Amino acid sequence: LGPDMKFKGVFHPVILCPARILEMNVVYYTEYGITFGAACSLDLVKNTLTKAVSELSKEKIEVFCALLRQLKSLGGQQIRNVASLGGNIMSANPTSDLNPILAAANCTLNLASAEAGTREIALNEDFFVGFGKTAAKPDEVLVSVHIPYSSKWEYMFAFRQAQRRENAFSIVNSGMRVLFHEETAAIEDLRIFYGGMGPTTVSVKKTCKELIGRPWNEEMLSEACRLLLDELPLPGSAPGGMVEYRRALTLSFFFKFYLSVLHRLKEMNITGQDMPLGYFTAIEDFQNETPQSLQIYQEVTQGQPSWDPVGRPIIHQSAIKQATGEAVYCDDIPSLDGELFMALVTSSRPHAKIVSIDVADALNLPGVVDVITASGVLANKITVFPLEGEHLLAEAEVTCIGQIVCAVVADTRVHAKRAAGAMKIAYEDLEPTVFTIEASIQQNSLYKIDMKLAKGNVDEAFEIVDQILEDEIHIGGQEHFYLETNSVLVIPKGEDGEMDVFIATQFPSFTQELVAMTLGVPSNRITCHVKRLGGAFGGKISKAAIIASIAATAAEKYRTGRSVRCVLERGEDMLITGGRHPFLGKYKVGFMNDGRILAVDVSFYCNAGSALDESALVIEKSVLQFDNAYSIPNIRAQGYACKTNLPSNTAFRGFGFPQGSLVTENWITDVAAKVGFSSEKVREINMYKGVERTHYKQEFDAHSLWRCWNECLEKSAYHNRKIAIEEFNKQHRWKKRGIAVVPIKYGIGFPSSFLNQAAALVHIYKDGSVLVTHGGVEMGQGIHTKMMQVTSRELRIPMSYIHISETSTNTVPNASPSAASYGTDANGLAVKNACEILLQRLDPVINDNPKGTWKDWIKKAYFQRISLSATGYSRGLDTKMDWEKQEGQPYGYFTFGACCSVVEIDCLTGDHKSIRTDIVMDVGCSINPAVDIGQIEGSFTQGLGLYTIEELKYSPKGMLYSRGPAQYKIPTVNDVPAQFNVSLLAGSCNPKAIYSSKGIGEPCVFLGCTVFYAIKDAIAAARRDSGLTGPFPLDSPATPERIRMACVDQFTKLVPVDEPGTYGPWAIHI
Ligand SMILES: Cc1cc2nc3c(=O)[nH]c(=O)nc-3n(C[C@H](O)[C@H](O)[C@H](O)COP(=O)(O)OP(=O)(O)OC[C@H]3O[C@@H](n4cnc5c(N)ncnc54)[C@H](O)[C@@H]3O)c2cc1C
């Protein structure tokens, strides 16, 4: 009930909690099985069954084992603690993991009603009558559930496959039970139920009936597959999509059932079909393990004083507070007297004229104060970096579902949301609507940006190469999924147009500028404050400022002192704020049979959405950096931003690099498959060597790149592991392993040099305590911790003397966004500069009393009228890119690294398990190895999510389906490689950044692609067993659906494919 009440606004006047009704909470053993009260939690059911399994004879526990197999991954522990057995059954969810087993096992339900008394009914195919509906009468309550023991010659198995192994509803699941005639392999009874194949749990009664009496052998298996496909038709437009995959899963599960039962029959010495040795692991599930990790970094040099924290693994200064909940985030700020809440009203149409906005009903609701529409905003159109021509609120037209049309302001959150739901907006649909990259290319719906780079002569090179390969890869987008959604609190100060804006943003000065422009006041009246962010990843730049400006407009109207708060719900945040750009990479590659790649012609198309936002810069990065670590003599690269009727995509950690370079690794992998070399050999042949120039003529030395690469090969024992994997793959038909090693060269800094500047303000108080402020925003990446380390070293005082309170626009003006992996480089130099100035002023005092303490010196300095406050400044890197001349130095320097991952896939279900990852990164001389390794591990895991799990689903009308954690899956701890090792390259230095360190915030997102390519390697092994060799397509993310369908075999070949265009699909790939 909870999720429906929270997310769908379902209202129940009365809710009964059966926690204290005895009959509904008991557990008792009978002669025939165990009866559970319907209110028993799933955890209690799990514990009871676990105990029963350990105590009862083997033949009695088949049903219990099947239930336990599902219960271990059903929801998570928190869900199992509160979800009840009765609730799971009565919800009649078609993907319930328990109902198919309970039904296949012939469980019985005890129902009771005040009028009709009690009755016992079978939980069978007649019980589930429709989506969320059962045959129980409206006044009946489920009192208890009887789960029978199994008998000799009866076997039961359960299967499930979800987008993610834990805490995700099944895509398809099944409960399968067979009873044999005694001492034979002849089927006496068969009951099979599937979930996820229709609006209810479904029985395949006809199939079962046809198979009764038949021996358990391959002919029966073939016949079963034919019958199952017949009995479980799924139209191309079926809700939930993934139609062919779901159909393939029904066969895969039956095949696993077949093998599992065969195995049992063998154990019982019943002769029948032999199970080939390599088939055995097909029936084993992947086990979740607690990941083990190794973190290797350099100790500081021996001579470094003990008080100097630079280079030491200092704990993130608010880590403990974040873990305990003491850390204060924007929405934790207590509400002020008279505070108002603002709820946003968004477009429900992808492209339409706004005919009217009727506010009457909303205004009449309790607590509602006002509705802000475009006409109530002074400057509704934004043209200030990084936005160009975007509207705060839609004016005459909407161009995507999720565009902000107006905002309702009310006295409470609940009132504001209720009123937002009561807003009546009339639309007139407009043509065209464009959602996909392909459609926008076809209709030439592109933003006018010109990003082209060329090197050498591609056409001539194509003439002389041995082979040419042309292909494309689609890379899905990604939701930022920061834990803290976009939030703002605007407090008007009551005079001179002054306002305080407390906001979760990476770019406070942009919010300040935008709010000031919107209100028509100078920037000096608006102060933005940022304490910390609960994650940002690029998603709290442009949209955060837009929401703040709308809230400021509302607050300005009530300047008598009513503050306005706006905190997006998860679903709203996902719908409105966009994410990582989906990409299509089309490429033509010319190469020699010895593996040398001589020419690449590549086009990148990103789905920018309905506004340009930062898309031009994202495309710029993909065109500039797609070379990754490879020196290709002839290059032609071009990038396009597709204009579509979807929410505008925006900055996201890596900013076009993770997409552009995935395309590169794809053509490397394809070339390797064509020339018959391993991918790592083709990588080595084509990697930059020594001092080289990129395709935009920036010079760099690839020495560290090769050191990382070689160390990674060595630390991962790559070559031995590869041989072991080949051996494993020879011995296993339905589980395959794969390995991939990928290098990285990642440019740090902003190509527009003005963004590389930074400033800081350092105050020393009379008691010796130091308050540091700088332009960087703490968003979990540890910048404040590093800035305190810098201050400590420069002022030669312990870190305990130093505090950073917040980032604010009245202490450091015009700060750049915390982005581009450049925060520490820029702000570190500014803080250092401020400290140097202070120390210079303090020098005479110190020299006067060299044995004195810091506190003595500060007191003395104060009385000597020495200023104890200083601003520091750093101009930053001199970067530039001349697109006319096709050359420049857009990056200050490069961060290098290499990563090797090993995975195992289940060819029958598409599930995968990350076995091991080894990363070696050159971060120069790390200022804080603990924080840097945290960034490496975190960004790698985010990349792993991007390339293998996270999938945005859009309806054919451009509506985002995946608007919460139930539909959108990010990696959990079980998705982290079971062995995860990170090493920082020793002895590397970088004269271009503070203390010789390097930026590391973004690069390792891309290294998640090693898991993608290891999966591809494993799929290639599976395909070889089916007689398929050479390159094959695999789009990102490599979801269970894509993995399964790429592992072509006798089962996938049986699944009919609906002709595209003959049906309306449930979802589209944008
Ligand atoms: C995040 C999340 C993940 C989940 N993952 C999974 C999963 O992977 N697999 C899976 O199978 N399930 C999953 N579930 C569902 C979960 O297992 C329960 O089915 C769900 O929570 C409902 O159980 P409840 O006890 O909360 O029932 P409630 O929400 O209290 O009730 C659900 C419905 O059943 C009715 N009902 C409840 N008890 C009775 C009764 N005794 N007699 C008559 N009617 C009754 C209620 O009126 C209501 O209509 C998940 C749930 C969540 C929230």
Side-chain angles (χ1 to χ4, degrees):
L1 296 177
D4 279 356
M5 288 163 67
K6 181 163 163 62
F7 298 115
K8 296 187 187 157
V10 174
F11 177 65
H12 296 286
V14 178
I15 294 180
L16 298 177
C17 175
R20 292 180 197 281
I21 301 173
L22 189 65
E23 304 90 301
M24 294 180 74
N25 287 281
V26 287
V27 178
Y28 55 91
Y29 286 68
T30 71
E31 197 183 330
Y32 306 105
I34 305 179
T35 298
F36 288 94
C40 289
S41 72
L42 296 184
D43 195 53
L44 178 67
V45 174
K46 185 169 172 249
N47 292 340
T48 309
L49 295 180
T50 307
K51 189 159 174 282
V53 163
S54 68
E55 289 170 354
L56 295 168
S57 67
K58 225 174 145 192
E59 61 195 42
K60 283 186 162 177
I61 58 172
E62 287 285 317
V63 182
F64 301 167
C65 289
L67 282 166
L68 283 173
R69 191 163 172 173
Q70 301 301 58
L71 280 167
K72 77 172 189 281
S73 49
L74 187 158
Q77 187 61 49
Q78 293 98 324
I79 299 299
R80 294 192 293 267
N81 284 344
V82 291
S84 64
L85 178 62
N88 191 292
I89 296 171
M90 298 304 282
S91 302
N93 186 325
T95 52
S96 156
D97 286 315
L98 304 183
N99 286 335
I101 309 173
L102 298 172
N106 272 321
C107 289
T108 47
L109 305 176
N110 300 301
L111 299 164
S113 88
E115 296 273 299
T118 58
R119 67 175 175 132
E120 190 180 276
I121 62 166
L123 200 168
N124 59 18
E125 53 276 13
D126 301 326
F127 182 70
F128 300 108
V129 295
F131 184 87
K133 293 201 178 78
T134 69
K137 300 195 181 100
D139 65 340
E140 276 182 325
V141 167
L142 175 62
V143 179
S144 61
V145 184
H146 181 73
I147 307 177
Y149 299 133
S150 49
S151 57
K152 204 171 178 188
W153 306 110
E154 184 180 353
Y155 304 108
M156 174 131 209
F157 291 93
F159 308 94
R160 82 191 296 272
Q161 184 58 46
Q163 183 85 352
R164 183 179 65 190
R165 215 166 312 124
E166 259 233 326
N167 237 322
F169 274 98
S170 301
I171 298 166
V172 176
N173 56 28
S174 185
M176 304 187 179
R177 172 190 159 270
V178 62
L179 177 68
F180 289 102
H181 289 289
E182 211 162 303
E183 306 274 351
T184 73
I187 303 170
E188 183 179 330
D189 189 22
L190 184 63
R191 284 174 72 82
I192 298 175
F193 286 77
Y194 282 102
M197 290 305 290
T200 64
T201 297
V202 293
S203 149
V204 283
K205 216 174 165 181
K206 204 170 130 234
T207 304
C208 294
K209 204 169 150 206
E210 295 262 337
L211 298 177
I212 286 174
R214 299 185 70 138
W216 200 257
N217 58 19
E218 271 189 22
E219 288 82 69
M220 184 281 300
L221 171 66
S222 309
E223 185 60 4
C225 291
R226 190 187 63 74
L227 290 164
L228 283 171
L229 284 174
D230 214 35
E231 197 172 357
L232 288 172
L234 206 57
S237 56
M242 300 186 270
V243 168
E244 280 112 44
Y245 173 52
R246 282 153 75 191
R247 300 193 78 187
L249 276 181
T250 60
L251 304 188
S252 296
F253 289 165
F254 188 83
F255 179 55
K256 285 185 170 232
F257 179 52
Y258 167 76
L259 294 176
S260 307
V261 172
L262 206 58
H263 185 58
R264 289 291 175 82
L265 290 174
K266 277 267 150 246
E267 281 179 343
M268 298 294 281
N269 284 325
I270 302 294
T271 48
Q273 202 86 31
D274 257 342
M275 175 153 77
L277 215 55
Y279 280 34
F280 183 68
T281 43
I283 61 182
E284 286 174 1
D285 286 341
F286 290 132
Q287 298 303 320
N288 289 333
E289 296 167 61
T290 306
Q292 307 290 312
S293 75
L294 200 64
Q295 305 175 334
I296 301 173
Y297 57 88
Q298 287 270 286
E299 287 268 342
V300 295
T301 51
Q302 268 197 339
Q304 182 168 322
S306 58
W307 54 262
D308 180 355
V310 170
R312 300 185 199 275
I314 305 288
I315 186 173
H316 187 297
Q317 292 298 286
S318 57
I320 307 272
K321 284 181 282 180
Q322 287 172 220
T324 59
E326 288 162 276
V328 175
Y329 292 89
C330 186
D331 195 29
D332 294 328
I333 300 171
S335 53
L336 287 101
D337 255 3
E339 183 178 297
L340 300 170
F341 191 87
M342 184 177 89
L344 301 176
V345 181
T346 55
S347 163
S348 57
R349 304 295 176 92
H351 188 191
K353 189 175 141 194
I354 300 176
V355 178
S356 64
I357 300 178
D358 181 354
V359 300
D361 286 357
L363 282 177
N364 280 334
L365 286 169
V368 178
V369 175
D370 202 0
V371 176
I372 313 287
T373 58
S375 60
V377 182
L378 189 68
N380 193 43
K381 193 167 177 187
I382 316 156
T383 297
V384 48
F385 176 82
L387 299 181
E388 177 122 9
E390 211 168 307
H391 291 102
L392 298 180
L393 295 165
E395 288 181 358
E397 207 178 290
V398 287
T399 50
C400 69
I401 294 178
Q403 186 173 352
I404 309 170
V405 179
C406 53
V408 182
V409 189
D411 58 349
T412 65
R413 218 175 272 237
V414 173
H415 285 157
K417 288 196 183 300
R418 195 173 297 164
M423 284 292 301
K424 291 204 177 72
I425 304 171
Y427 298 101
E428 197 178 293
D429 285 332
L430 295 173
E431 289 293 332
T433 50
V434 182
F435 304 117
T436 65
I437 293 176
E438 286 78 2
S440 82
I441 297 171
Q442 215 174 33
Q443 298 177 35
N444 202 24
S445 177
L446 303 170
Y447 288 99
K448 284 191 180 55
I449 54 172
D450 197 18
M451 296 286 172
K452 290 192 174 82
L453 269 183
K455 170 187 173 188
N457 191 326
V458 172
D459 297 321
E460 274 178 18
F462 280 137
E463 296 289 317
I464 56 156
V465 292
D466 290 338
Q467 295 189 57
I468 291 180
L469 186 149
E470 266 184 273
D471 215 331
E472 60 182 47
I473 177 171
H474 187 279
I475 301 139
Q478 187 177 27
E479 161 61 30
H480 297 93
F481 224 99
Y482 21 64
L483 287 184
E484 176 202 34
T485 55
N486 270 289
S487 318
V488 64
L489 171 65
V490 178
I491 307 175
K493 296 173 79 173
E495 57 178 303
D496 299 331
E498 286 184 24
M499 248 182 218
D500 272 333
V501 181
F502 292 87
I503 178 164
T505 181
Q506 293 164 253
F507 199 179
S509 67
F510 173 56
T511 300
Q512 176 196 30
E513 199 174 357
L514 197 60
V515 169
M517 281 172 72
T518 308
L519 302 183
V521 298
S523 287
N524 61 10
R525 309 302 154 91
I526 310 296
T527 307
C528 287
H529 305 264
V530 184
K531 179 83 185 164
R532 63 168 63 79
L533 310 183
F537 314 118
K540 290 179 177 166
I541 298 180
S542 50
K543 285 293 184 296
I546 289 177
I547 295 165
S549 301
I550 303 169
T553 302
E556 147 85 357
K557 274 183 107 177
Y558 302 98
R559 77 174 83 188
T560 45
R562 301 196 79 170
S563 53
V564 175
R565 188 183 298 252
C566 180
V567 179
L568 298 189
E569 293 280 357
R570 176 68 56 192
E572 288 177 306
D573 197 301
M574 291 180 80
L575 176 70
I576 296 169
T577 64
R580 190 187 293 286
H581 293 70
F583 261 58
L584 176 68
K586 289 172 178 264
Y587 54 84
K588 182 173 170 186
V589 191
F591 52 98
M592 308 305 281
N593 291 335
D594 62 6
R596 279 178 302 132
I597 299 171
L598 297 192
V600 175
D601 187 353
V602 61
S603 298
F604 300 108
Y605 299 86
C606 77
N607 195 329
S610 60
L612 189 59
D613 196 289
E614 297 194 55
S615 305
L617 302 176
V618 168
I619 274 293
E620 176 188 68
K621 189 151 181 118
S622 62
V623 171
L624 285 172
Q625 294 215 39
F626 83 96
D627 61 324
N628 189 22
Y630 308 108
S631 175
I632 309 297
N634 303 288
I635 283 178
R636 188 156 57 212
Q638 43 270 313
Y640 306 93
C642 300
K643 189 173 186 176
T644 55
N645 296 101
L646 295 174
S648 163
N649 284 312
T650 187
F652 200 136
R653 200 177 196 176
F655 212 70
F657 186 100
Q659 298 100 314
S661 293
L662 189 85
V663 178
T664 300
E665 298 303 333
N666 217 55
W667 44 258
I668 294 270
T669 310
D670 286 355
V671 168
K674 277 277 185 197
V675 296
F677 292 171
S678 64
S679 299
E680 103 275 353
K681 188 164 176 198
V682 175
R683 288 187 172 106
E684 283 182 349
I685 290 169
N686 292 288
M687 265 161 70
Y688 285 109
K689 293 169 185 85
V691 177
E692 286 214 48
R693 283 178 185 272
T694 63
H695 52 301
Y696 44 86
K697 303 190 180 71
Q698 176 158 355
E699 194 178 275
F700 76 101
D701 186 347
H703 178 67
S704 285
L705 171 69
W706 276 93
R707 282 188 60 213
C708 291
W709 175 260
N710 288 329
E711 213 170 283
C712 184
L713 291 177
E714 188 191 312
K715 287 206 151 74
S716 62
Y718 177 82
H719 294 288
N720 287 344
R721 215 168 281 283
K722 198 167 156 59
I723 293 167
I725 286 170
E726 275 161 19
E727 201 46 44
F728 176 94
N729 288 342
K730 270 188 215 149
Q731 288 170 14
H732 299 86
R733 171 61 187 98
W734 301 107
K735 291 264 168 56
K736 294 288 178 195
R737 290 193 175 166
I739 187 166
V741 57
V742 170
I744 182 172
K745 165 186 125 287
Y746 190 96
I748 302 289
F750 293 97
S752 305
S753 60
F754 71 92
L755 287 170
N756 292 327
Q757 62 183 314
L761 176 63
V762 179
H763 297 323
I764 306 173
Y765 293 97
K766 279 190 291 178
D767 65 354
S769 65
V770 175
L771 183 69
V772 177
T773 320
H774 59 93
V777 169
E778 176 59 58
M779 44 197 173
Q781 87 282 38
I783 192 169
H784 284 355
T785 306
K786 285 187 173 177
M787 293 307 108
M788 288 167 72
Q789 290 176 269
V790 171
T791 310
S792 170
R793 167 176 277 188
E794 293 302 320
L795 295 180
R796 296 177 224 141
I797 52 172
M799 278 178 73
S800 58
Y801 287 23
I802 305 160
H803 184 63
I804 298 184
S805 170
E806 62 170 10
T807 307
S808 56
T809 53
N810 59 354
T811 49
V812 176
N814 313 319
S816 293
S818 288
S821 303
Y822 193 60
T824 296
D825 286 17
N827 293 288
L829 286 174
V831 169
K832 183 171 185 281
N833 178 234
C835 293
E836 283 165 351
I837 292 168
L838 285 166
L839 211 59
Q840 215 173 16
R841 288 184 202 152
L842 288 171
D843 258 355
V845 180
I846 298 171
N847 290 339
D848 262 5
N849 177 18
K851 291 227 161 87
T853 64
W854 171 256
K855 287 185 183 174
D856 296 337
W857 298 330
I858 297 306
K859 208 171 274 173
K860 190 80 177 281
Y862 171 73
F863 285 112
Q864 286 188 5
R865 289 180 292 166
I866 292 172
S867 167
L868 293 173
S869 173
T871 53
Y873 181 73
S874 161
R875 271 174 62 82
L877 296 164
D878 281 325
T879 50
K880 58 180 180 300
M881 179 65 208
D882 188 331
W883 285 91
E884 290 268 296
K885 287 195 192 149
Q886 307 246 306
E887 62 180 59
Q889 303 266 327
Y891 303 107
Y893 60 89
F894 295 97
T895 291
F896 301 108
C899 175
C900 174
S901 290
V902 177
V903 301
E904 186 172 324
I905 63 167
D906 183 325
C907 309
L908 289 164
T909 59
D911 200 2
H912 82 268
K913 182 175 167 63
S914 285
I915 295 175
R916 180 179 169 124
T917 289
D918 291 271
I919 297 178
V920 178
M921 286 307 294
D922 165 22
V923 297
C925 294
S926 171
I927 291 178
N928 185 331
V931 164
D932 285 348
I933 291 177
Q935 285 289 295
I936 292 168
E937 291 172 342
S939 54
F940 169 84
T941 307
Q942 195 165 39
L944 173 154
L946 164 71
Y947 298 122
T948 67
I949 304 174
E950 300 179 38
E951 202 174 24
L952 295 162
K953 298 250 164 152
Y954 280 90
S955 79
K957 295 243 175 294
M959 189 196 58
L960 182 66
Y961 288 128
S962 41
R963 294 206 299 270
Q967 305 91 6
Y968 186 81
K969 301 297 173 191
I970 59 170
T972 67
V973 70
N974 290 320
D975 302 298
V976 171
Q979 181 68 47
F980 191 7
N981 303 332
V982 177
S983 306
L984 303 184
L985 190 73
S988 165
C989 61
N990 173 32
K992 298 261 180 75
I994 180 160
Y995 305 147
S996 211
S997 64
K998 284 191 175 188
I1000 191 62
E1002 298 171 292
C1004 298
V1005 170
F1006 169 65
L1007 297 183
C1009 84
T1010 50
V1011 178
F1012 178 90
Y1013 284 107
I1015 288 173
K1016 198 165 181 185
D1017 188 43
I1019 296 172
R1023 290 168 65 91
R1024 278 195 292 275
D1025 283 0
S1026 292
L1028 299 166
T1029 52
F1032 61 95
L1034 182 71
D1035 285 337
S1036 170
T1039 56
E1041 177 189 14
R1042 292 209 171 104
I1043 296 172
R1044 172 65 188 111
M1045 298 317 285
C1047 291
V1048 177
D1049 57 31
Q1050 65 266 43
F1051 304 110
T1052 54
K1053 283 179 191 157
L1054 287 175
V1055 176
V1057 180
D1058 287 314
E1059 191 69 35
T1062 58
Y1063 63 94
W1066 176 77
I1068 51 170
H1069 287 291
I1070 55 139

